[in-house]
Amino acid sequence: MFAVASIGTLALLRPIARRHMRMPAQIRTGTDALLGAAALVMERVDQDGGQVKIRGEVWTARAYDDDDVFEPGARVQVIKIDGATALVHE
């Protein structure tokens, strides 16, 4: 009985495992997937903070370079994610 159940389980899991083995290493997930993404400034962003919208979600943001200031409506790029804060640059 155990052998039959084991063979049935393997038959179901093998296609899933095969798909994962073929998945390219370059596919990024989580916050890594946001690196390089375009963002829209919602609230003024400077070295102290602000807000941007990335792929439909509002994120806390800071300017990557301390001297940069981005006004609402500006388009910026996500350079790094630091915790729950996006560091952005034009």
Side-chain angles (χ1 to χ4, degrees), residues 2-56:
F2 177 75
V4 172
S6 296
I7 291 171
T9 301
L10 286 175
L12 290 174
L13 293 178
R14 187 172 181 194
I16 295 169
R18 192 178 291 163
R19 266 182 270 152
H20 283 285
M21 296 289 287
R22 293 181 183 163
M23 188 177 298
Q26 294 85 2
I27 293 178
R28 296 179 293 178
T29 60
T31 57
D32 287 340
L34 298 176
L35 300 180
L40 175 66
V41 177
M42 304 300 289
E43 281 183 14
R44 182 183 173 156
V45 175
D46 56 23
Q47 67 183 2
D48 297 320
Q51 286 188 336
V52 294
K53 185 179 277 191
I54 308 167
R55 297 185 181 158

Side-chain angles (χ1 to χ4, degrees), residues 50-90:
Q51 286 188 336
V52 294
K53 185 179 277 191
I54 308 167
R55 297 185 181 158
E57 294 183 345
V58 177
W59 281 73
T60 302
R62 281 193 334 260
Y64 184 74
D65 293 326
D66 290 342
D67 298 335
D68 286 343
V69 175
F70 306 108
E71 298 298 333
R75 299 274 178 187
V76 293
Q77 184 177 19
V78 178
I79 303 297
K80 182 179 176 183
I81 301 290
D82 183 18
T85 302
L87 301 178
V88 297
H89 185 66
E90 202 162 36

